[in-house]
Amino acid sequence: MSVMERPPTQSALPIYHKSIDWDALFQRYPVPDVFERTRWRWSADQIRAFQNEQFLDLMQTGWQNEFYRRRWSAVGLEPGDIGNIDDIVKLPMFDSDDIKKDQEENPPFGLINGDVHKRMQTTPMKLQTSGGTTGKPRPTLYAPQEWELNGLTHARVLYICGVRPGDRVQIPHTCSLGNAGWCCYKACHDYLGALPITTGTGAVTSSRRQIEIAREWGTNVWYVRPEYATQLAKVARDELNFDVRDLKTKFLGCGLGPDVDNAFRNQLESLWGCKVYDMYGTHEMGMGAFECQHQSGMHFHEDSTFFEVVGIEDGKAVADGEIGNMVCTILHRSQQPMIRFNLRDLTRIVATDRCECGSCFRRRQKMLGRSDTMVRIRGVSIWPQACLPAIKSDSRTTGEWLCIAERNVRDGVVRDEMTVKVEVRDDAPGWDGLKEHIEKRLHSDLGLRLNIELWPEDTLMEWS
């Protein structure tokens, strides 16, 4: 080849930015501002039709996946048995234990991920893991579309809550094998024109330095764990003599969990002087549900994930307003498809009409706990997360608690008991009446008297 000849311009490598038809992607899943003007305001019938279209595409993927083909064939299903999304109830559900079993028997990624080595020859892949809250973290693989939807769904949520180009979003989640930090980073950087300030957790960037960075660089939005937000406010006050309300924050984006009476939200809004929006997601789906600015329930992210609420015992659909397990079908995933995945998170549908924000995306209550942590105490079903509103109802607690269930036999009589250990802040003005207050509130919330123990701040860590 002479020096004047140009080298070949075509690469045989799996280049990420050439692996997606970007126009087709954004036509199917609009970017935040287009989404807010269009699909976000669709009628319920339009949403259902779009879900059905995606679901039928997904079923073709499912039948080509050995994990699903085996499960579906085992219950006598054939490809023609599923004609539309209403037939989804014919498909067996599965949960994280089934994925773990699949990956143990077919290491490392399981049949659910297909032939990963072969696909990587032509397709860029990203590996993340679950948080490990139900055991050993399980690996999840993302092809380009799945990885983009992680950021895009998050960006839509931030946009609807008020993030705009030029905002500075601080992210005290580490960009590691967990997904939260990556989702928010991609949302801001790739889709919103907002500046992602990826400080990582307090173990990466100290809490004191987190506040200094926010002051120096003009942070005006935080995507943060709510418990850590309270810690940041405390460090600002105690170590820097600074009130975080002076940051003039637009809002905090948090996963508030079972804060059904908004006690935790109210505490945070008082500390920070801004709105706190509840957000819910998993590492497989990205943002699955979130509050709009009217905060009248958490909207399901209906165009990317189809949600069902089913009975804890029988797995059958429950009526709107009744508590059940959330089951999700992630409509955009072809790498590690998720079809009728039982999240085992408890909630109820609270609204199906058009919200004041203009959206018909259905709304659910906050997460009420996990069904796999349920215990029965003297005939009453209790989820430990359901204790949080009572514990947060007194500002003297840290919000940390631990439930211990025991079965005692005395004089031949079996009696189940639960003790709730509650941490009290070091700077609390006193413990007088606190135990009695929490006992009374828990009895009101749960219909059962539980034993309460008060512990000093940070002492429950020895139980973790």
Side-chain angles (χ1 to χ4, degrees):
M1 182 174 69
S2 72
V3 294
M4 298 301 294
E5 290 183 74
R6 292 184 178 182
T9 58
Q10 296 298 315
S11 172
L13 296 174
I15 305 299
Y16 182 85
H17 289 287
K18 293 185 177 180
S19 64
I20 291 180
D21 182 336
W22 294 97
D23 290 338
L25 176 69
F26 298 145
Q27 179 69 29
R28 194 164 200 181
Y29 301 104
V31 296
D33 57 336
V34 178
F35 169 79
E36 194 278 335
R37 297 194 306 268
T38 56
R39 189 167 299 159
W40 179 241
R41 300 175 184 277
W42 275 4
S43 69
D45 288 343
Q46 287 175 298
I47 295 165
R48 187 72 167 191
F50 183 69
Q51 290 175 330
N52 187 63
E53 174 189 329
Q54 292 182 94
F55 174 70
L56 294 178
D57 289 345
L58 180 62
M59 286 303 300
Q60 294 183 36
T61 299
W63 278 113
Q64 296 166 10
N65 182 288
E66 189 66 18
F67 175 83
Y68 289 101
R69 185 164 60 247
R70 291 183 183 184
R71 294 181 65 83
W72 296 346
S73 297
V75 296
L77 287 172
E78 297 180 0
D81 293 337
I82 307 298
N84 57 55
I85 200 167
D86 293 332
D87 291 334
I88 197 170
V89 295
K90 298 178 182 178
L91 300 172
M93 293 181 290
F94 71 105
D95 57 33
S96 59
D97 292 336
D98 295 304
I99 299 179
K100 292 172 190 173
K101 184 173 184 291
D102 174 39
Q103 293 179 338
E104 288 169 0
E105 293 176 351
N106 305 280
F109 304 122
L111 295 175
I112 196 169
N113 271 296
D115 189 338
V116 174
H117 180 76
K118 180 179 179 181
R119 191 167 189 196
M120 285 182 64
Q121 306 309 304
T122 58
T123 305
M125 304 286 273
K126 184 77 170 70
L127 173 68
Q128 301 294 126
T129 69
S130 64
T133 56
T134 59
K136 182 181 177 181
R138 60 188 184 278
T140 298
L141 287 164
Y142 303 78
Q145 176 165 290
E146 288 81 9
W147 191 237
E148 287 306 309
L149 263 293
N150 257 1
L152 182 52
T153 56
H154 201 114
R156 291 166 164 190
V157 172
L158 294 179
Y159 184 85
I160 287 169
C161 290
V163 170
R164 294 295 182 270
D167 284 338
R168 298 161 198 189
V169 182
Q170 194 151 327
I171 310 170
H173 295 263
T174 302
C175 292
S176 58
L177 287 174
N179 221 16
W182 286 106
C183 288
C184 193
Y185 158 75
K186 280 188 66 65
C188 296
H189 181 268
D190 295 0
Y191 292 108
L192 291 170
L195 180 67
I197 303 176
T198 50
T199 49
T201 65
V204 176
T205 303
S206 71
S207 298
R208 179 189 179 106
R209 184 60 187 145
Q210 298 265 7
I211 297 299
E212 290 172 343
I213 286 171
R215 296 176 71 181
E216 293 166 7
W217 299 349
T219 297
N220 66 340
V221 175
W222 293 74
Y223 178 60
V224 59
R225 290 186 174 89
E227 297 82 5
Y228 190 47
T230 63
Q231 174 68 10
L232 287 170
K234 179 182 177 183
V235 168
R237 180 191 67 220
D238 295 347
E239 297 185 20
L240 296 170
N241 194 30
F242 177 72
D243 189 332
V244 291
R245 289 176 292 188
D246 292 338
L247 291 172
K248 307 300 182 186
T249 302
K250 273 189 174 183
F251 68 85
L252 306 182
C254 300
L256 290 171
D259 183 35
V260 291
D261 65 352
N262 290 319
F264 201 1
R265 185 208 302 277
N266 294 339
Q267 178 190 1
L268 288 171
E269 290 186 344
S270 176
L271 283 171
W272 284 80
C274 66
K275 284 278 194 180
V276 175
Y277 292 112
D278 198 1
M279 301 174 181
Y280 169 87
T282 72
H283 76 288
E284 298 96 351
M285 74 176 73
M287 275 292 182
F290 57 97
E291 290 181 320
C292 68
Q293 295 187 23
H294 294 275
Q295 297 180 308
S296 56
M298 300 182 72
H299 290 275
F300 285 126
H301 216 137
E302 300 251 59
D303 76 327
S304 62
T305 306
F306 178 72
F307 283 94
E308 306 167 74
V309 180
V310 305
I312 300 164
E313 301 294 338
D314 61 12
K316 295 181 179 179
V318 303
D320 292 346
E322 293 184 8
I323 295 174
N325 278 329
M326 277 192 293
V327 175
C328 74
T329 296
I330 304 175
L331 298 168
H332 61 80
R333 287 196 71 98
S334 58
Q335 178 62 51
Q336 189 169 323
M338 303 300 287
I339 305 171
R340 295 209 86 199
F341 179 50
N342 189 347
L343 294 157
R344 297 184 290 193
D345 287 339
L346 296 163
T347 193
R348 58 162 63 94
I349 303 294
V350 296
T352 58
D353 59 341
R354 193 176 291 275
C355 177
E356 289 180 80
C357 71
S359 179
C360 284
F361 283 28
R362 292 175 301 159
R363 284 165 280 160
R364 45 155 275 209
Q365 192 176 12
K366 294 177 183 295
M367 194 181 85
L368 302 174
R370 289 188 57 84
S371 61
D372 54 354
T373 63
M374 182 191 77
V375 293
R376 291 186 69 83
I377 304 295
R378 301 193 293 279
V380 178
S381 298
I382 294 179
W383 294 278
Q385 293 93 334
C387 297
L388 180 61
I391 292 162
K392 279 289 187 181
S393 67
D394 193 300
S395 61
R396 290 176 289 179
T397 71
T398 66
E400 299 293 334
W401 82 103
L402 179 71
C403 295
I404 299 178
E406 299 175 293
R407 172 161 290 177
N408 299 313
V409 181
R410 296 174 186 166
D411 300 326
V413 177
V414 177
R415 182 176 174 84
D416 294 330
E417 299 285 357
M418 178 177 280
T419 299
V420 183
K421 300 176 183 290
V422 181
E423 276 191 358
V424 184
R425 289 180 15 233
D426 288 341
D427 59 355
W431 294 19
D432 291 348
L434 178 56
K435 178 180 176 181
E436 293 75 16
H437 166 77
I438 295 174
E439 285 176 342
K440 184 177 180 180
R441 175 62 189 270
L442 283 173
H443 182 250
S444 174
D445 288 356
L446 306 178
L448 197 68
R449 295 194 184 279
L450 305 179
N451 304 315
I452 306 300
E453 293 180 2
L454 302 181
W455 289 62
E457 186 170 342
D458 294 334
T459 53
L460 291 183
M461 287 191 294
E462 66 181 85
W463 296 81
S464 61

